[in-house]
């Protein structure tokens, strides 16, 4: 399983991903799911991946090859982030279809594309296995792929467009912590990337291993705060009506 | 959708359920999903239901009819809670199969059975649409049916066998609140039943409507405590390594 979060804020982007992949619980490996694309300096593009690893690796490989071979459509030639979402969606659906036809097995995958092209807005898209995509809204400034439910309540509570990059990063780590506690197939290292609007380069890129003191402090402090909050909840009423 | 929680503690049982059913988002109704069975006084039995409403209603109807008609197997004649789980599992799988054969549609449902028979232990079971079932363990003293993921992290954090009935009830309401915040098809009234070990009758049975002051105070206080906890989390490190 996988868990990736893409948050699109007034201040820029916060992208967070785990690194555990598994093909059955007896085949667990560690792969980064955050690809900072090596594009021209007029743009900053990140692709996070969830689902079948063969599919997502072949999509990333194709994106690199199209840039290297200067295909007419590639990450450097397209002028809008939405066009890039379309281009990547096409590659994704073709890859999935190819292996479905030969094997009957559907190697599904979902992607989060986020970034900015000079002169354009910061954008984030979630690309479905069918090749279509959605973006964020004023009310829902984040996207999730993979094991999204355990960690959703905390995002719903704390994230809005005006949240700072730093606060959103902490919130995404809490969301990741809740997910790791309930699903053993989501695991560290946890990557967190902060992108500041109009900078066209990454601001900070953390990679927290399981024993990183900050990841441990987040886990312990959140547990402590929740416990303390729970202890101060109002008691059940005596009256049952 | 539905969300029901059954918690089996040293002190007894805490059972919590929502009341929203929907057949598509344009057909939303309110039905209690907590059935306190009208058995002989030597036993206390509750059945919570999730899934297809026609299926779960026909199961409950059959249980009542078997008692009324004094069938050889009914809720009053069986000597062990596990036998009752088996008996209900059989009814469930037969109902699902009947409608699957005639329509092709699989009207799945899941159940939580909980209670105690005089001289026996307090037990809780989750019964699958296939008719088989699992029970709680020392480490995992709770069972969930329906929309279980949003509300699971808080149960994992606060519930163990030694938790009091009152604390477990508050925790189940927080779990329900997180679920309602993230899934609009789970909704009030919220029922909470407390059962004390060996009492063979319900201790308290709350039914909290959406505007019940206690449900509102739980929602507000938990939001406040989470916000306060979030504000006191350690800042992102400056060093990225």
């Amino acid at each position: 399983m996988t868990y990736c979060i893409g948050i699109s804020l007034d201040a820029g982007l916060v992208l967070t991903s785990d690194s555990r992949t598994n093909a059955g619980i007896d085949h667990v490996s560690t792969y980064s799911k955050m690809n900072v694309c090596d594009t021209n300096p007029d743009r900053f593009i990140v692709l996070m991946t969830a689902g079948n690893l063969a599919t997502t690796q072949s999509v990333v490989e194709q994106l690199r090859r199209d840039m290297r071979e200067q295909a007419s459509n590639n990450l450097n030639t397209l002028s809008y982030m939405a066009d890039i979402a379309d281009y990547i969606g096409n590659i994704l659906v073709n890859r999935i279809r190819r292996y479905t036809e030969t094997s009957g097995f559907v190697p599904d995958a979902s992607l989060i594309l986020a970034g900015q092209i000079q002169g354009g807005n910061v954008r984030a898209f979630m690309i479905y296995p069918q090749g279509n995509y959605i973006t964020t809204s004023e009310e829902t400034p984040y996207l999730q792929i993979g094991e999204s439910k355990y960690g959703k309540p905390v995002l719903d509570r704390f994230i809005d467009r005006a949240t700072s990059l730093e606060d959103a990063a902490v919130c995404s780590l809490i969301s990741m912590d809740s997910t790791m506690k309930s699903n053993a197939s989501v695991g560290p290292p946890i990557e967190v990337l902060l992108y500041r609007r109009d900078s066209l380069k990454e601001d900070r890129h953390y990679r927290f291993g399981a024993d990183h003191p900050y990841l441990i402090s987040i886990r312990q402090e959140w547990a402590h705060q929740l416990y303390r909050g729970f202890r101060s909840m109002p008691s059940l009423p005596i009256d049952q009506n």
Side-chain angles (χ1 to χ4, degrees), chain A:
Chain A
M1 205 67 189
T2 288
Y3 181 37
C4 301
I5 314 159
I7 308 174
S8 180
L9 305 161
D10 292 339
L13 294 165
V14 173
L15 308 174
T16 306
S17 62
D18 85 313
S19 302
R20 191 161 292 172
T21 70
N22 64 310
I25 58 166
D26 56 349
H27 191 137
V28 174
S29 313
T30 299
Y31 283 92
S32 171
K33 296 159 190 177
M34 188 174 310
N35 304 277
V36 181
C37 302
D38 189 20
T39 58
N40 291 339
D42 72 327
R43 57 193 63 204
F44 178 74
I45 295 172
V46 180
L47 192 67
M48 293 190 291
T49 60
N52 186 277
L53 186 61
T55 298
T56 59
Q57 285 189 346
S58 78
V59 169
V60 170
E61 183 58 35
Q62 184 68 45
L63 298 179
R64 290 199 188 119
R65 175 190 292 239
D66 284 352
M67 279 195 285
R68 200 169 50 235
E69 298 182 351
Q70 304 189 326
S72 60
N73 276 350
N74 71 53
L75 292 180
N76 284 322
T77 59
L78 293 161
S79 305
Y80 299 100
M81 286 298 293
D83 289 349
I84 292 178
D86 222 42
Y87 155 67
I88 296 175
N90 273 328
I91 294 175
L92 176 64
V93 77
N94 284 331
R95 293 294 155 149
I96 294 172
R97 192 179 297 146
R98 178 199 301 182
Y99 295 107
T100 306
E101 278 167 3
T102 54
S103 74
F105 170 68
V106 183
D108 266 355
S110 305
L111 310 171
I112 289 177
L113 165 72
Q116 187 175 22
I117 297 175
Q118 200 161 38
N121 285 329
V122 172
R123 300 298 302 272
F125 298 94
M126 178 174 129
I127 306 174
Y128 293 100
Q130 291 75 21
N132 55 353
Y133 49 87
I134 60 171
T135 185
T136 57
S137 71
E138 195 63 32
E139 292 73 25
T140 309
Y142 67 86
L143 301 164
Q144 301 168 289
I145 51 176
E147 179 60 279
S148 61
K149 289 193 175 185
Y150 297 123
K152 185 170 182 291
V154 72
L155 297 174
D156 286 334
R157 286 184 194 275
F158 298 130
I159 301 288
D160 63 44
R161 298 275 315 179
T163 305
S164 72
L165 296 184
E166 290 76 9
D167 281 355
V170 171
C171 185
S172 74
L173 284 169
I174 295 172
S175 175
M176 189 61 78
D177 179 47
S178 297
T179 306
M180 288 193 287
K181 228 177 133 50
S182 291
N183 186 332
S185 74
V186 174
I190 306 303
E191 290 186 73
V192 184
L193 187 153
L194 276 62
Y195 170 76
R196 265 175 224 290
R197 175 178 299 276
D198 298 331
S199 68
L200 304 179
K201 59 183 174 47
E202 67 183 25
D203 183 58
R204 291 188 243 170
H205 190 155
Y206 300 93
R207 188 180 159 89
F208 298 116
D211 54 355
H212 191 288
Y214 184 66
L215 201 58
I216 293 173
S217 77
I218 284 277
R219 175 171 307 145
Q220 289 178 342
E221 187 61 23
W222 187 241
H224 170 71
Q225 292 295 334
L226 285 182
Y227 184 76
R228 177 182 156 147
F230 181 56
R231 291 269 55 104
S232 55
M233 293 296 282
S235 302
L236 271 179
I238 302 299
D239 181 7
Q240 291 173 53
N241 297 307

